[in-house]
Amino acid sequence: MANIVQFENVGLRYGTGEETLSDISFTLARGAFYFLTGASGASKTSLLKLLYLAQRPTRGAIRLFDEDIAALPRARLPGFRRRIGVVFQDFRLIPHLSAFDNIALPLRVAGVPEADIAAPVKEMLAWVGLAERAEARPPTLSGGEQQRVAIARAVIGRPDILVADEPTGNVDPDMAERLLHLFDSLNRLGTTVVVATHDFQLLGRIAGAHMMRLERGRLLDPTGSLRFPPPGEARR
């Protein structure tokens, strides 16, 4: 299976302090599903920022879609970012836009004709249980509802890579199961999925998923060789 991401001896330092991430090396296979685990403060969010190009490494090399990110012209970065769906821990919804328009935003940025936008957005709203909240603006939504809008926005364009930072942290267990099923379905269509979580109860929910573990800024299982669930317990 071809690799879609490669990190080689990557380090990240904010300011002049100690490195937040040190000697990070791993590859992500195209079309695979990964859980990135570790306790709060393990720097999972910092690693995800490197992955979705919000942060540049202090040292080391990152290859994405077979290209060296360091050598990539700045003008091409927006196109790369559009191939990566991101579910932020703090949602980052646009407050003056409705739930419908927040979800539609990636399609509009990509130039999808307006006539082709309504149907997939309505389908996604229904899937995350917000069909009746299409016109609601983020300040009127609960934390769990905002989370679901953020997830719908991230996946509507069927990105090549989906990066989700604690995507089930603000929803009940039933909705968490439903959202994981959505990620699983997207993965089956070929999207590489990376879900960062410290909730170990999630790890057995996706058969064949790989696990990478961060501890104090270092990757303990860079190969993702540990897979869940054990044989005979798959939920797929």
Side-chain angles (χ1 to χ4, degrees):
M1 186 180 294
N3 294 324
I4 196 169
V5 174
Q6 184 175 3
F7 278 49
E8 295 181 359
N9 299 317
V10 169
L12 176 64
R13 186 193 311 273
Y14 296 106
T16 59
E18 295 183 358
E19 283 193 330
T20 300
L21 295 169
S22 299
D23 302 318
I24 303 294
S25 296
F26 67 88
T27 59
L28 300 183
R30 188 180 300 274
F33 196 116
Y34 296 86
F35 284 108
L36 176 63
T37 71
S40 296
S43 300
K44 297 189 297 296
T45 297
S46 292
L47 179 54
L48 294 187
K49 285 181 178 179
L50 292 173
L51 188 55
Y52 61 76
L53 306 181
Q55 192 76 40
R56 293 276 189 159
T58 307
R59 60 182 176 89
I62 298 175
R63 293 186 64 83
L64 184 63
F65 308 126
D66 295 322
E67 301 234 25
D68 182 352
I69 294 303
L72 196 69
R74 186 172 296 274
R76 293 186 59 198
L77 282 175
F80 267 55
R81 290 188 177 116
R82 283 196 291 271
R83 298 175 66 181
I84 306 170
V86 185
V87 181
F88 299 100
Q89 197 168 9
D90 56 356
F91 314 142
R92 301 193 189 180
L93 302 175
I94 299 176
H96 66 274
L97 295 182
S98 67
F100 181 101
D101 287 329
N102 267 282
I103 296 169
L105 190 60
L107 300 182
R108 289 177 172 143
V109 169
V112 174
E114 199 65 29
D116 297 330
I117 287 177
V121 173
K122 288 179 180 178
E123 180 181 358
M124 191 60 63
L125 280 162
W127 214 100
V128 297
L130 294 173
E132 304 302 319
R133 303 286 275 157
E135 298 306 317
R137 295 183 180 182
T140 70
L141 299 172
S142 69
E145 288 172 333
Q146 291 183 49
Q147 180 77 301
R148 285 181 270 165
V149 172
I151 290 171
R153 180 184 60 186
V155 305
I156 193 168
R158 292 191 180 180
D160 293 310
I161 302 173
L162 174 68
V163 177
D165 193 358
E166 302 286 354
T168 61
N170 289 280
V171 297
D172 61 44
D174 288 342
M175 182 52 65
E177 183 86 16
R178 190 172 181 178
L179 293 176
L180 279 178
H181 179 68
L182 175 60
F183 294 156
D184 188 20
S185 298
L186 193 68
N187 176 242
R188 288 171 178 265
L189 293 173
T191 295
T192 302
V193 176
V194 182
V195 174
T197 183
H198 64 267
D199 183 357
F200 282 86
Q201 294 185 16
L202 297 180
L203 301 183
R205 305 294 178 89
I206 305 294
H210 303 262
M211 187 182 81
M212 299 189 299
R213 184 176 178 184
L214 266 177
E215 186 172 303
R216 297 181 181 179
R218 292 182 180 272
L219 205 55
L220 300 186
D221 188 22
T223 64
S225 58
L226 187 59
R227 301 180 70 165
F228 291 88
E233 297 182 15
R235 299 177 65 101
R236 280 187 180 178

